[in-house]
Each structure stands twice: as C-alpha cells, then as structure tokens.
Amino acid sequence: MKNRIPQDFEALRQAIVERRDDLPKRLIQVAIYSLDNPDEIAFGTVASIAASAAVQPSTLVRFAQQFGFDGFSGLQQIFRARLKERNSTYEERLKALEADSAEVSENIGILNGFLSAAGRSVESLSHSIDPAIFEQSVEILAKADTIYLLAKRRAAPISTYMAYAFGKLRVRNQLIATSVGIDEDLVAMAGPNDAAIAISFSPYSPETVGQAKMMTDRDIPLIAITDSAFSPLAGGASAWFEIVEADHAGFRSLSAGMALAMALTVAVAEWRRRHQKNM
C-alpha cells in the first residue's frame, strides 16, 4: 500500500522520525543528511546531493519512494517550499540588512549577522516545538529529587547556566562538569527518583552520549536537547527537543538552545511552587 505523501516539511520530518528504526541503512544515511542539510536538498541536483550524502543517486529515488513520492523531484519540492516560506518570513529583515550593509562598518555588519542568526534560530524553535512534549518534560523534571545536567563542548554554556538558574530557584541539581575527572562517578550516583537533561549537537560529544546512556540504562528519565531525530541522544530519551541553530560566517549561536533551557528551568520551578501549595 502506498504511503500517505507528506504535504509539507514538518509532516515529512515527522514521517522520517516515525520510521527511523525501520529504514535500511543507506536510506537512514539519506534521512540524516536531508534533515541536517535541508537547503542543500532544496538547491542541489540528484548527482550533487548523492555525492554529498555519499550514496548512489538511485538511493535518493528509493528514499523518496519510501514516503510516497514517485521520484526524487517530488520530495525536493517539499524542501523548496520550506525554503520559500522561510525566506518570505525574513524577507523584510534581510532586505533591511542588505540595504544597510553598504552604510555600516565591518564590525556592525558582523553584529547584524549574528543578531539575524539568533532571531532565525528562536523563530524556528517557536514554530517547531511541541507543547505536549514541553509539558511532559517539565513534569518529569519537576518530580525529580535531583536533576543531572549533562553537556560538553559547544553545549556546555547551556547546562552551566541552567545549573546557575536552578540554584537560584532552589531546585536541586548536579552539573556534570568536574575538573578532577569524576563525572561518571557523579552520574553513577543518580537514582530512580532523579532525572537528567542531556544536551549535545553534531558532532556529538562522546562523553555526553555515554553519560546519557548510563542514565537510560538504569531507567532514569532523560530529557534530550539536540539537533536531529537521528542524534544518539534522541532514541533513549523520555522526551527530546530538536533545535537547529542558524549560523553566521560558519559560527552557530546558542540562542534557541538557551531560550528553551531557561524556559524549562523556570517552568520546573513554577510547577513545583504550584503543586507544593496544593499539597
């Protein structure tokens, strides 16, 4: 029976996520590439996309057919429609930046570029986040005795600020970022009444992935903040959020990740305050 054809990018992304455990290895490779590089799918040819994804052109066709399309061009239209919608959303802002570019200094141009990237990141998150998943995550974290915070490398500032904010809000937490090499010992202290937040973006931190697995192997609830349905954090998480940060000059911001992290932090504290009053 022919699969129901996704009508937009979000429907396609959801279909890919739902079938990620059933797709053959090569099609998973295409799925990961397509979700990580949607603009390249929109602009590229079958040959160039296949070369970038390290698969045969016929694999792209098979991937498209898995989701009900007759060929790759039909699938590609979904990515082009997404790009057109995104561009129209920011058309006025981009025109303003371009108009100002000749009149501002190089330094102000850099500032404008990063401000624009930050705005795109947060705007994208506001459209993609699932309110039910957010509510579920808040409740899981609010009921935990201790919240363990797992993040390294680029994601480390997010967990560090969450630890600071949780501390200010009197929410017990443990930041896994020791300088004496006992991170895994601290992770091993987590119990069944605790929960964890793991944050990692491609290329994923082996330490964070390993520590998250230590948690899920012991049935400790894990909330993941990552950048792909195929992230190693997503599969075992109780709930997970996908964040794709826009970049400027090859540097990605943490704007959307920080916004989500702070919303979770404050919402957890507020959930506890409300329910303690009702007890």
Side-chain angles (χ1 to χ4, degrees):
M1 183 170 131
K2 195 170 184 178
N3 295 315
R4 183 177 179 182
I5 304 175
Q7 298 300 305
D8 55 37
F9 181 78
E10 183 55 33
L12 175 62
R13 190 195 70 82
Q14 186 60 39
I16 292 173
V17 171
E18 290 173 354
R19 299 189 57 192
R20 62 185 172 185
D21 295 330
D22 301 325
L23 293 174
K25 181 180 178 181
R26 287 299 183 193
L27 298 191
I28 289 177
Q29 192 171 328
V30 176
I32 293 172
Y33 182 84
S34 66
L35 294 182
D36 287 348
N37 304 277
D39 290 0
E40 282 74 6
I41 299 292
F43 285 123
T45 64
V46 170
S48 67
I49 295 168
S52 297
V55 297
Q56 293 296 319
S58 60
T59 306
L60 298 181
V61 177
R62 288 197 295 116
F63 178 76
Q65 291 172 341
Q66 283 284 327
F67 297 95
F69 297 96
D70 292 331
F72 185 72
S73 61
L75 175 73
Q76 193 172 42
Q77 291 304 315
I78 296 292
F79 290 85
R80 290 177 176 172
R82 164 196 169 273
L83 195 61
K84 183 178 179 181
E85 180 180 353
R86 187 190 69 182
N87 287 347
S88 64
T89 301
Y90 295 102
E91 185 176 355
E92 292 184 4
R93 183 183 303 174
L94 292 175
K95 283 183 178 178
L97 288 174
E98 290 170 2
D100 292 341
S101 63
E103 302 175 9
V104 302
S105 69
E106 181 180 356
N107 292 335
I108 299 303
I110 292 172
L111 172 62
N112 286 342
F114 278 105
L115 291 176
S116 177
R120 295 198 306 273
S121 298
V122 174
E123 181 73 12
S124 175
L125 177 63
S126 71
H127 291 304
S128 65
I129 198 163
D130 186 333
I133 298 298
F134 186 82
E135 295 282 3
Q136 176 191 2
S137 301
V138 169
E139 186 169 350
I140 288 172
L141 295 170
K143 289 180 177 179
D145 289 343
T146 300
I147 299 171
Y148 286 77
L149 303 170
L150 318 176
K152 300 290 184 187
R153 302 178 182 174
R154 185 166 71 91
I158 301 176
S159 63
T160 300
Y161 198 75
M162 291 186 83
Y164 168 80
F166 273 137
K168 285 289 186 181
L169 294 167
R170 302 294 188 266
V171 176
R172 184 180 299 166
N173 71 93
Q174 176 63 62
L175 178 64
I176 306 301
T178 68
S179 59
V180 291
I182 60 169
D183 284 4
E184 291 192 0
D185 296 319
L186 292 177
V187 171
M189 295 172 63
N193 295 323
D194 299 324
I197 300 174
I199 312 168
S200 190
F201 309 112
S202 179
Y204 307 104
S205 161
E207 297 95 335
T208 302
V209 172
Q211 291 162 7
K213 189 174 187 304
M214 288 177 65
M215 293 289 187
T216 56
D217 283 349
R218 288 151 51 213
D219 295 324
I220 295 169
L222 177 76
I223 307 302
I225 298 176
T226 188
D227 58 0
S228 170
F230 294 90
S231 162
L233 295 182
S238 303
W240 64 278
F241 298 95
E242 181 180 8
I243 289 179
V244 181
E245 299 277 8
D247 74 275
H248 175 67
F251 293 93
R252 292 190 182 276
S253 75
L254 292 172
S255 305
M258 194 67 77
L260 173 61
M262 292 314 301
L264 281 171
T265 303
V266 174
V268 165
E270 180 62 15
W271 191 99
R272 288 188 171 193
R273 185 190 67 79
R274 288 197 314 268
H275 287 266
Q276 285 172 355
K277 289 174 68 173
N278 295 331
M279 290 176 60

